[in-house]
Amino acid sequence: MKLSALQQTYLTRRANSFRGSAQLDSSGDGSVKSPAAIFWLVIHGVCCLISLVLGFRFSRLVFFFLFSTSLYTAPFRSGSEIAAQREVPPAVNRTATSVASTASRVVVGRHGIRIRPWPHPDPVEVMKAHRIIERVQREQRALFGVKNPRTVIAVTPTHVRTFQTLHLTGVMHTLMLVPYDLVWIVVEAGGVTNETASIIAKSGLRTMHVGFSQRLPNSWEARHKLESRMRLHALRIVRKEKLDGVVVFADDSNMHSMELFDEAQNVKWIGAVSVGILLHSDESSYMVQSEEEGASMPVQGPACNATDKLVGWHTFNSLRYTGRSAVYIDDRAPVLPRKLEWSGFVLNSWLVWKDADGKPEWVKDLDELDGVDEEIESPLSLLKSTSVVEPLGNCGRQVLLWWLRVEARTDSKFPSRWIIDPPLDITIPSKRTPWPDAPPELPFNEKILTGTQEQTNKPSTRTKSPRSRRSRSKRKHDTKVIGVQVSTHSEQN
């Protein structure tokens, strides 16, 4: 009885298990056969394929090959196409080729780059680009430059002369490029003139044009002393007006590097830089001798040791020019500098103030220099001890300005104020002029030469052999040369 009951239970459970599996199979068959399930399965497979294709680096290039052949040029070209590109197009089709190439595109890696014509066709975009570059440079100076820049006080002694416009314009444009606030003190020998005022008025800078009663002498030695007094006069103006900043001695005939004004911001009281001395020498024999003896470099400035400490000064060796240097302005000889030029020093304006907070005791007062101005050759005379000078420009290893003295002779015939009035004379007549005016009359010697050339250029009615033609052209060339020599001698006489 019990055995039959157990068998009946086992058979019932087994039947129920088979019935559940049949239901699952029937439900699975229904899901597979559903159109929505098949649709989503296909979409899933397509998305997987798309992500697989786009994931490779080569996929973008395949996309360009298939769909963007009209917009981008193919990155791989045959040898014939490269050879055809290297061939120079004729002059007639060169413009059309350049116009067509400016509107093309190239492929670099996975990105297309559009080739724009140069210069940019839109000037507004060009100005935007320049403003962006200017803003970037300003931000870079704010981050990596001087945090609190001081005002630059430039002192320039000058006087009216032939080359004043040349020299003063050069230093004016240099000061206009200084990226700091600047005050330009121009001290003019002989008093203030309209010529100098008209030049410095074009700068747009904050200028102080003051006059000096004395005129510059003709000798270079006396001129150097007077220029030192003019610089001291400018320092007294700095003390009187209490100008706060760094004083730079910018002579009008010197050439300055923009790094000089950056280094001037680092000075605490007084600093020195290396100055390149530009001189000319007509003696080639001495050049060979100097190479054998190992002459010193034409530089003056601070000399430092291995620890970048000031230990002395390197001055220009003027012994080689003993007896051969210029004494007066008209001398055709090199002009020698002083032992240490003023332009090689940078001062803190507080050094010359009457009462300044923290003013050091090793500096002399300007009132003590009254009456001995001519004996002051450099700013070192303002100090009681020269060991306090700060070497600038990588401890004097960088030349930040160049000293040069080039002046015109007194008998030179340069135009006054460089204004051509009356107009220039015709020295070479123009053969083809765009205006319908009559050509100028030629000089007498040129008329003779033209008549001789016309006679030699008349065609001959007789038939000659090639050899006679060559001899005739040779005689024609000799006639031209003789005519030119005759005209030259007549002009000299």
Side-chain angles (χ1 to χ4, degrees), residues 101-149:
S101 62
T102 55
S104 62
R105 292 174 178 265
V106 295
V107 177
V108 181
R110 299 173 57 187
H111 307 281
I113 299 178
R114 183 178 179 182
I115 303 177
R116 293 184 178 271
W118 183 260
H120 198 282
D122 191 359
V124 177
E125 296 293 333
V126 175
M127 294 307 299
K128 288 182 180 179
H130 282 291
R131 283 193 289 267
I132 292 173
I133 294 174
E134 183 181 0
R135 179 64 182 273
V136 171
Q137 292 177 349
R138 187 164 58 250
E139 293 295 333
Q140 288 178 347
R141 286 194 297 266
L143 292 176
F144 307 105
V146 182
K147 298 300 180 182
N148 298 317

XYZ file of all heavy atoms in Angstrom, residues 101-149:
400
model
N 44.296 76.593 -55.933
C 44.930 75.895 -54.823
C 44.602 76.517 -53.482
O 44.640 75.846 -52.462
C 46.451 75.875 -55.017
O 46.938 77.191 -55.026
N 44.278 77.810 -53.461
C 43.977 78.455 -52.181
C 42.674 77.977 -51.584
O 42.475 78.073 -50.382
C 43.924 79.975 -52.377
O 42.985 80.279 -53.425
C 45.292 80.523 -52.751
N 41.765 77.477 -52.435
C 40.475 77.038 -51.927
C 40.446 75.543 -51.653
O 39.384 74.978 -51.439
C 39.373 77.392 -52.927
N 41.575 74.849 -51.685
C 41.620 73.404 -51.514
C 41.819 73.057 -50.050
O 42.028 73.923 -49.215
C 42.745 72.818 -52.365
O 43.978 73.335 -51.943
N 41.753 71.758 -49.792
C 41.957 71.240 -48.452
C 42.964 70.101 -48.512
O 43.107 69.443 -49.536
C 40.644 70.744 -47.831
C 39.642 71.829 -47.513
C 38.332 71.221 -47.051
N 37.347 72.240 -46.691
C 37.136 72.690 -45.463
N 37.844 72.200 -44.465
N 36.230 73.603 -45.215
N 43.612 69.854 -47.420
C 44.542 68.743 -47.299
C 44.166 67.944 -46.070
O 43.467 68.424 -45.175
C 46.011 69.229 -47.199
C 46.435 69.919 -48.468
C 46.170 70.157 -46.005
N 44.606 66.705 -46.034
C 44.330 65.810 -44.926
C 45.633 65.539 -44.199
O 46.605 65.087 -44.806
C 43.691 64.504 -45.416
C 43.477 63.567 -44.245
C 42.386 64.787 -46.112
N 45.669 65.833 -42.914
C 46.830 65.566 -42.070
C 46.343 64.666 -40.946
O 45.634 65.110 -40.047
C 47.441 66.866 -41.515
C 48.642 66.544 -40.660
C 47.823 67.791 -42.648
N 46.704 63.381 -41.018
C 46.217 62.439 -40.015
C 44.731 62.201 -40.181
O 44.263 61.775 -41.238
N 43.974 62.525 -39.162
C 42.530 62.331 -39.191
C 41.769 63.629 -39.359
O 40.538 63.636 -39.285
C 42.086 61.657 -37.884
C 42.682 60.303 -37.647
C 42.325 59.791 -36.276
N 40.889 59.730 -36.074
C 40.319 59.437 -34.903
N 41.072 59.203 -33.845
N 39.011 59.397 -34.789
N 42.474 64.752 -39.561
C 41.819 66.049 -39.584
C 42.069 66.730 -40.926
O 43.162 66.645 -41.486
C 42.334 66.940 -38.451
C 42.242 66.297 -37.101
N 41.067 66.235 -36.402
C 43.172 65.670 -36.339
C 41.270 65.590 -35.253
N 42.545 65.255 -35.193
N 41.054 67.413 -41.409
C 41.194 68.195 -42.627
C 41.570 69.624 -42.319
O 41.065 70.232 -41.371
N 42.499 70.171 -43.083
C 42.987 71.531 -42.883
C 42.687 72.328 -44.140
O 43.024 71.902 -45.247
C 44.503 71.558 -42.585
C 44.790 70.770 -41.305
C 45.001 72.993 -42.464
C 46.254 70.700 -40.980
N 42.087 73.470 -43.967
C 41.760 74.327 -45.084
C 42.917 75.285 -45.366
O 43.434 75.928 -44.457
C 40.498 75.133 -44.796
C 40.052 76.004 -45.973
C 38.770 76.739 -45.616
N 38.345 77.596 -46.718
C 37.286 78.385 -46.681
N 36.534 78.417 -45.581
N 36.968 79.133 -47.712
N 43.321 75.342 -46.614
C 44.417 76.221 -47.016
C 43.828 77.587 -47.365
O 43.037 77.715 -48.290
C 45.191 75.644 -48.213
C 45.730 74.257 -47.879
C 46.312 76.579 -48.637
C 46.435 73.596 -49.026
N 44.225 78.614 -46.597
C 43.742 79.967 -46.838
C 44.793 80.764 -47.614
O 45.978 80.523 -47.476
C 43.441 80.678 -45.519
C 42.266 80.079 -44.752
C 41.981 80.900 -43.509
N 40.845 80.388 -42.776
C 39.591 80.752 -42.994
N 39.337 81.633 -43.945
N 38.604 80.252 -42.265
N 44.349 81.694 -48.423
C 45.330 82.538 -49.137
C 46.040 83.467 -48.167
O 45.537 83.781 -47.098
C 44.449 83.322 -50.127
C 43.097 83.350 -49.489
C 42.962 82.041 -48.757
N 47.230 83.902 -48.543
C 48.016 84.816 -47.724
C 48.409 86.027 -48.569
O 48.913 85.866 -49.668
C 49.273 84.128 -47.210
C 50.067 85.019 -46.292
C 51.178 85.746 -46.612
C 49.770 85.301 -44.931
N 51.601 86.451 -45.537
C 50.765 86.205 -44.491
C 48.778 84.896 -44.045
C 50.782 86.689 -43.196
C 48.809 85.386 -42.776
C 49.803 86.265 -42.355
N 48.136 87.232 -48.137
C 47.592 87.594 -46.827
C 46.117 87.261 -46.695
O 45.448 86.995 -47.674
C 47.831 89.107 -46.757
C 47.853 89.539 -48.175
C 48.464 88.417 -48.954
N 45.644 87.326 -45.466
C 44.260 86.961 -45.193
C 43.321 87.916 -45.936
O 43.527 89.131 -45.923
C 43.992 87.013 -43.689
C 42.761 86.266 -43.268
N 41.502 86.775 -43.432
C 42.597 85.035 -42.712
C 40.601 85.913 -42.993
N 41.242 84.849 -42.548
N 42.296 87.379 -46.578
C 41.427 88.278 -47.369
C 40.607 89.232 -46.523
O 40.171 90.271 -47.022
C 40.521 87.285 -48.123
C 40.528 86.048 -47.292
C 41.879 85.967 -46.672
N 40.400 88.921 -45.257
C 39.572 89.768 -44.404
C 40.469 90.536 -43.446
O 41.042 89.962 -42.518
C 38.566 88.925 -43.631
C 37.508 89.786 -42.927
O 37.602 91.021 -43.038
O 36.612 89.208 -42.279
N 40.633 91.848 -43.619
C 41.515 92.598 -42.698
C 40.979 92.661 -41.279
O 41.742 92.844 -40.339
C 41.594 93.989 -43.340
C 40.368 94.091 -44.195
C 40.064 92.710 -44.667
N 39.668 92.515 -41.113
C 39.111 92.545 -39.756
C 39.601 91.345 -38.953
O 39.959 91.453 -37.770
C 37.572 92.572 -39.828
C 36.973 92.541 -38.430
C 37.091 93.799 -40.594
N 39.652 90.175 -39.604
C 40.153 88.985 -38.927
C 41.631 89.120 -38.600
O 42.100 88.625 -37.568
C 39.913 87.750 -39.807
C 38.456 87.438 -40.061
C 37.739 87.017 -38.789
O 38.413 86.488 -37.890
O 36.516 87.226 -38.695
N 42.380 89.783 -39.479
C 43.815 89.994 -39.215
C 44.005 90.862 -37.976
O 44.846 90.573 -37.112
C 44.490 90.628 -40.447
C 45.946 90.962 -40.154
C 44.413 89.690 -41.633
N 43.220 91.918 -37.851
C 43.336 92.783 -36.681
C 42.904 92.057 -35.413
O 43.480 92.272 -34.342
C 42.484 94.037 -36.877
C 42.975 94.950 -37.992
S 44.719 95.400 -37.827
C 44.697 96.232 -36.259
N 41.923 91.187 -35.514
C 41.543 90.392 -34.349
C 42.685 89.486 -33.910
O 42.950 89.331 -32.715
C 40.305 89.557 -34.682
C 39.021 90.358 -34.786
C 37.840 89.431 -35.067
C 36.536 90.221 -35.163
N 35.378 89.331 -35.455
N 43.363 88.881 -34.894
C 44.498 88.014 -34.562
C 45.615 88.800 -33.899
O 46.229 88.339 -32.926
C 45.009 87.320 -35.823
N 45.891 90.022 -34.390
C 46.939 90.847 -33.774
C 46.554 91.256 -32.351
O 47.411 91.293 -31.456
C 47.185 92.092 -34.631
C 48.012 91.828 -35.853
N 49.350 91.512 -35.799
C 47.691 91.821 -37.175
C 49.822 91.335 -37.019
N 48.833 91.511 -37.875
N 45.282 91.553 -32.131
C 44.855 91.907 -30.781
C 44.953 90.718 -29.829
O 45.299 90.880 -28.652
C 43.423 92.442 -30.817
C 43.312 93.877 -31.320
C 41.939 94.443 -31.039
N 40.937 93.831 -31.897
C 40.545 94.312 -33.073
N 41.097 95.416 -33.541
N 39.614 93.706 -33.774
N 44.671 89.528 -30.358
C 44.811 88.333 -29.519
C 46.273 88.110 -29.150
O 46.605 87.805 -27.993
C 44.232 87.114 -30.249
C 42.707 87.248 -30.368
C 44.578 85.819 -29.515
C 42.077 86.167 -31.215
N 47.180 88.277 -30.121
C 48.614 88.110 -29.844
C 49.088 89.157 -28.840
O 49.866 88.859 -27.923
C 49.412 88.194 -31.157
C 49.061 87.012 -32.068
C 50.908 88.225 -30.882
C 49.697 87.102 -33.437
N 48.622 90.393 -28.990
C 49.008 91.446 -28.048
C 48.503 91.132 -26.639
O 49.207 91.352 -25.654
C 48.450 92.779 -28.523
C 48.843 93.965 -27.656
C 48.247 95.269 -28.160
O 47.529 95.223 -29.178
O 48.489 96.307 -27.520
N 47.295 90.616 -26.550
C 46.747 90.263 -25.234
C 47.541 89.125 -24.605
O 47.829 89.130 -23.394
C 45.280 89.871 -25.392
C 44.603 89.450 -24.082
C 44.539 90.598 -23.099
N 43.933 90.208 -21.838
C 42.626 90.226 -21.594
N 41.803 90.642 -22.551
N 42.144 89.859 -20.431
N 47.916 88.135 -25.431
C 48.712 87.019 -24.908
C 50.064 87.499 -24.408
O 50.542 87.101 -23.332
C 48.877 85.931 -25.994
C 49.879 84.878 -25.555
C 47.538 85.272 -26.294
N 50.715 88.392 -25.164
C 52.007 88.921 -24.724
C 51.867 89.736 -23.446
O 52.733 89.675 -22.569
C 52.614 89.774 -25.840
C 53.022 88.978 -27.066
C 53.543 89.859 -28.174
O 53.418 91.083 -28.122
N 54.097 89.264 -29.211
N 50.783 90.486 -23.332
C 50.561 91.265 -22.109
C 50.337 90.356 -20.906
O 50.828 90.627 -19.805
C 49.376 92.200 -22.319
C 49.163 93.179 -21.176
C 48.246 94.316 -21.572
N 46.945 93.863 -22.022
C 46.521 93.930 -23.286
N 47.326 94.437 -24.209
N 45.329 93.506 -23.631
N 49.609 89.270 -21.113
C 49.393 88.323 -20.022
C 50.691 87.613 -19.635
O 50.946 87.341 -18.458
C 48.325 87.311 -20.415
C 46.932 87.902 -20.580
C 46.376 88.450 -19.277
O 46.785 87.958 -18.206
O 45.532 89.365 -19.322
N 51.526 87.307 -20.634
C 52.804 86.666 -20.339
C 53.716 87.591 -19.546
O 54.423 87.141 -18.637
C 53.476 86.231 -21.643
C 52.804 85.047 -22.318
C 53.474 84.690 -23.624
O 54.277 85.452 -24.154
N 53.148 83.521 -24.163
N 53.723 88.888 -19.914
C 54.536 89.827 -19.132
C 54.018 89.962 -17.708
O 54.788 90.137 -16.763
C 54.558 91.195 -19.821
C 55.419 91.275 -21.049
C 55.663 92.717 -21.453
N 54.427 93.390 -21.817
C 53.959 93.487 -23.049
N 54.636 92.932 -24.049
N 52.838 94.120 -23.308
N 52.675 89.890 -17.560
C 52.111 89.996 -16.215
C 52.435 88.777 -15.359
O 52.616 88.897 -14.146
C 50.598 90.193 -16.300
N 52.532 87.598 -15.988
C 52.802 86.372 -15.233
C 54.289 86.144 -14.993
O 54.707 85.770 -13.894
C 52.198 85.167 -15.958
C 50.658 85.103 -16.015
C 50.214 83.912 -16.845
C 50.069 85.017 -14.607
N 55.089 86.351 -16.038
C 56.509 85.992 -15.965
C 57.431 87.206 -15.958
O 58.636 87.049 -15.786
C 56.887 85.094 -17.150
C 56.000 83.892 -17.291
C 55.030 83.841 -18.285
C 56.120 82.818 -16.432
C 54.209 82.732 -18.429
C 55.315 81.702 -16.565
C 54.342 81.664 -17.556
N 56.911 88.419 -16.186
C 57.751 89.608 -16.221
C 57.865 90.266 -14.864
O 57.690 89.647 -13.803
N 58.151 91.551 -14.908
C 58.291 92.332 -13.673
C 56.908 92.547 -13.069
O 55.969 92.977 -13.760
C 58.981 93.675 -13.963
C 59.175 94.468 -12.676
C 60.326 93.436 -14.647
N 56.783 92.253 -11.799
C 55.477 92.343 -11.149
C 55.052 93.802 -10.978
O 53.933 94.174 -11.316
C 55.513 91.640 -9.791
C 55.824 90.153 -9.883
C 54.790 89.414 -10.723
C 55.099 87.931 -10.818
N 54.122 87.204 -11.677
N 55.931 94.624 -10.453
C 55.628 96.042 -10.220
C 56.645 96.892 -10.978
O 57.656 97.340 -10.410
C 55.657 96.364 -8.723
C 54.602 95.586 -7.952
O 53.455 95.465 -8.390
N 54.991 95.039 -6.797
N 56.438 97.115 -12.267
C 57.433 97.868 -13.044
C 57.474 99.327 -12.634
O 56.460 99.945 -12.281
C 56.935 97.706 -14.487
C 55.478 97.451 -14.368
C 55.300 96.687 -13.091
